Amino acid sequence: MSKTAGKPIRCHAAVLWSANTPYAIEEVEVAVPKKGEVRVKMASTGLCHSDLHFQEGIDKQWPFPSVIGHEGAGIIESVGEGVTSVKPGDTVVLVFESYCGECEFCKSPKTNQCKKQPRNQLQMDGTSRITCKGQALSQMSSISTFSEYTVTSEANVTKVNQKANPNTLCLAGCCIPTGYGAVMNAGKVPKGATTAVWGLGGVGMCVLMGLRDSQAGKIIAIDTNPKKFPLAKEFGATDFLNPKEVDDVPKKLAEMTNGGVDYCFVSVGIVPVMEQAFNSSHPNWGKTVIIGLSDLGETMRAGVWELLFGRQLVGTFYGSYKAKLGIPDLVDKVVAGQIQLEKLITHRLPLTKINEGFNMLKTGESLRAIIDYDIKG
Ligand SMILES: NC(=O)c1ccc[n+]([C@@H]2O[C@H](COP(=O)([O-])OP(=O)(O)OC[C@H]3O[C@@H](n4cnc5c(N)ncnc54)[C@H](O)[C@@H]3O)[C@@H](O)[C@H]2O)c1
Ligand SMILES: [Zn+2]
Ligand SMILES: [Zn+2]
């Protein structure tokens, strides 16, 4: 048993006191895990654009103050009563959708959502395990990876290949399953298909890796920031398009393909871009997979006649993986070198530099900046 087990832990976390404010590094208290819960010493967390969307207020109902962060990996510090799938010392990836294995949804192949995942950013019993100055802080997706220690349900962590490096493994918690799974599970791209990816951030690069492994024919990488193209090429992109340089993107893509793209992936959270992708897909069979987020409640336009004639439109959450079950295999691919996680990481920062990290994501200076909790900052 670790020296810290059984007692609350005081440590640092990046706290959002409200939307549209910077993170404040605060001393917080992380409670002892209750029945069915685990406490994790975080090793790394990625700065994903979803965190930025929530910081910028895409969800008007978000319960602030909050410890967000949903892409993380760490080591189990202690476990509550009844926990069987992990033990202290195990390297785990945190998963932002639980897998209880028992509910109607977990037992069904039709969805990767779990009925037990709390939708109010708390633990399954409706309370938080992180407090600051005596106040309870909400926990994004129950996992709160922007904290040196966190508590979550056993259903929100997955034990992975113990050879993986926990200090970079955070990316296996979101961008890898999201991007790779968008191709494998939601797109189901056959060999030789023409494909296009809008948005070459951490998620889009993992879409490219999935397309490469699916042996797609043409892989068109699309971004308004051409600095992203060289890495996209390394991950298998065959053609490049800067939408700022063409008047009519769907027309240009129809010319570059046989009248329209077979499979379109949108890994950017801008609704008109989602509509542009739909209109670039092949009119008779093209499939568009939406990955990027929008403000809650926002809608996109997709022509009814376009759908009647054969265009398809789907969305994917977490790459349509049941994450607790799917991520260990992806981590094996990381360890084997098939998924080149390290190439995605452009910056490693201490938690104290989290605001600088998000500024670099906004300006496009970083691809994936990560917080490495072992760096003393
Ligand atoms: N569905 C899910 O489960 C899920 C999971 C993770 C992330 N996401 C979402 O996926 C999106 C991408 O996340 P990320 O972390 O890779 O973001 P990112 O900011 O790293 O990448 C977005 C990229 O889009 C590019 N871009 C901006 N405007 C564009 C335009 N008009 N046309 C083409 N490209 C444009 C940017 O230059 C950038 O390279 C976000 O919306 C994020 O919230 C969804
Ligand atoms: Zn994410
Ligand atoms: Zn379940």
Side-chain angles (χ1 to χ4, degrees):
M1 210 166 84
S2 79
K3 274 186 266 162
T4 45
K7 299 177 279 240
I9 292 180
R10 294 193 77 79
C11 64
H12 291 96
V15 176
L16 283 180
W17 289 97
S18 62
N20 292 303
T21 55
Y23 289 88
I25 304 300
E26 305 279 8
E27 195 175 275
V28 297
E29 190 168 290
V30 181
V32 173
K34 293 190 181 172
K35 187 174 174 188
E37 295 177 349
V38 299
R39 189 159 59 185
V40 183
K41 182 179 196 308
M42 294 302 301
S44 59
T45 183
L47 308 188
C48 172
H49 207 116
S50 298
D51 301 310
L52 187 54
H53 286 309
F54 286 104
Q55 183 187 12
E56 292 177 344
I58 68 165
D59 181 355
K60 303 285 174 275
Q61 310 297 320
W62 193 269
F64 290 103
S66 188
V67 181
I68 72 164
H70 64 281
E71 182 175 84
I75 311 289
I76 298 285
E77 175 268 344
S78 61
V79 301
E81 190 192 325
V83 170
T84 54
S85 65
V86 290
K87 58 179 188 318
D90 285 346
T91 294
V92 294
V93 171
L94 291 97
V95 298
F96 60 80
E97 180 69 25
S98 57
Y99 175 79
C100 75
E102 289 161 3
C103 76
E104 183 195 337
F105 285 10
C106 283
K107 285 185 178 158
S108 164
K110 293 183 200 142
T111 177
N112 63 349
Q113 301 205 306
C114 169
K115 279 190 152 179
K116 289 205 181 148
Q117 174 67 41
R119 303 294 163 195
N120 57 359
Q121 324 305 330
L122 291 167
Q123 296 306 321
M124 288 179 180
D125 70 354
T127 61
S128 167
R129 300 288 166 272
I130 308 183
T131 52
C132 180
K133 299 169 186 162
Q135 198 176 345
L137 307 176
S138 74
Q139 292 189 260
M140 182 180 197
S141 306
S142 317
I143 61 177
S144 295
T145 62
F146 293 161
S147 178
E148 289 170 326
Y149 283 85
T150 190
V151 170
T152 189
S153 162
E154 175 183 20
N156 289 85
V157 294
T158 190
K159 184 174 172 173
V160 294
N161 191 321
Q162 301 297 295
K163 288 188 198 132
N165 175 6
N167 295 100
T168 53
L169 199 60
C170 52
L171 300 198
C174 179
C175 75
I176 293 173
T178 299
Y180 203 79
V183 178
M184 300 299 175
N185 304 326
K188 295 190 166 53
V189 176
K191 188 175 171 184
T194 61
T195 62
V197 185
W198 279 255
L200 307 172
V203 175
M205 294 294 177
C206 295
V207 172
L208 291 176
M209 287 192 247
L211 293 174
R212 175 201 65 194
D213 291 353
S214 302
Q215 296 176 273
K218 195 169 259 202
I219 303 176
I220 307 170
I222 305 171
D223 203 296
T224 45
N225 178 356
K227 281 195 211 146
K228 306 283 174 108
F229 293 154
L231 188 61
K233 190 170 184 187
E234 279 188 48
F235 288 136
T238 57
D239 296 77
F240 304 88
L241 184 69
N242 181 348
K244 284 186 183 160
E245 289 174 356
V246 287
D247 292 335
D248 187 333
V249 172
K251 189 162 164 251
K252 177 75 186 166
L253 286 167
E255 285 162 17
M256 290 169 76
T257 56
N258 185 23
V261 183
D262 295 336
Y263 293 85
C264 297
F265 295 87
V266 190
S267 45
V268 50
I270 302 173
V271 172
V273 177
M274 299 173 186
E275 293 167 347
Q276 182 179 81
F278 179 74
N279 292 323
S280 304
S281 64
H282 193 285
N284 304 95
W285 57 74
K287 183 172 183 180
T288 298
V289 180
I290 304 295
I291 310 167
L293 308 185
S294 73
D295 282 6
L296 264 81
E298 210 174 335
T299 54
M300 68 176 277
R301 286 176 74 91
V304 173
W305 278 89
E306 280 73 5
L307 291 165
L308 297 181
F309 281 154
R311 279 191 171 131
Q312 300 172 56
L313 181 62
V314 298
T316 179
F317 175 73
Y318 224 148
S320 308
Y321 282 110
K322 287 183 188 287
K324 187 167 167 116
L325 306 184
I327 288 175
D329 290 344
L330 292 171
V331 173
D332 287 341
K333 288 195 193 329
V334 170
V335 172
Q338 188 185 339
I339 291 178
Q340 296 98 339
L341 167 158
E342 307 263 346
K343 278 194 179 172
L344 298 170
I345 301 172
T346 51
H347 299 78
R348 290 165 79 147
L349 307 167
L351 185 64
T352 47
K353 295 226 163 86
I354 189 166
N355 290 307
E356 289 158 57
F358 277 109
N359 277 336
M360 291 193 289
L361 183 65
K362 268 190 240 177
T363 59
E365 191 187 331
S366 61
L367 182 70
R368 240 343 175 241
I370 68 164
I371 304 299
D372 179 341
Y373 284 97
D374 278 358
I375 295 177
K376 302 282 171 254

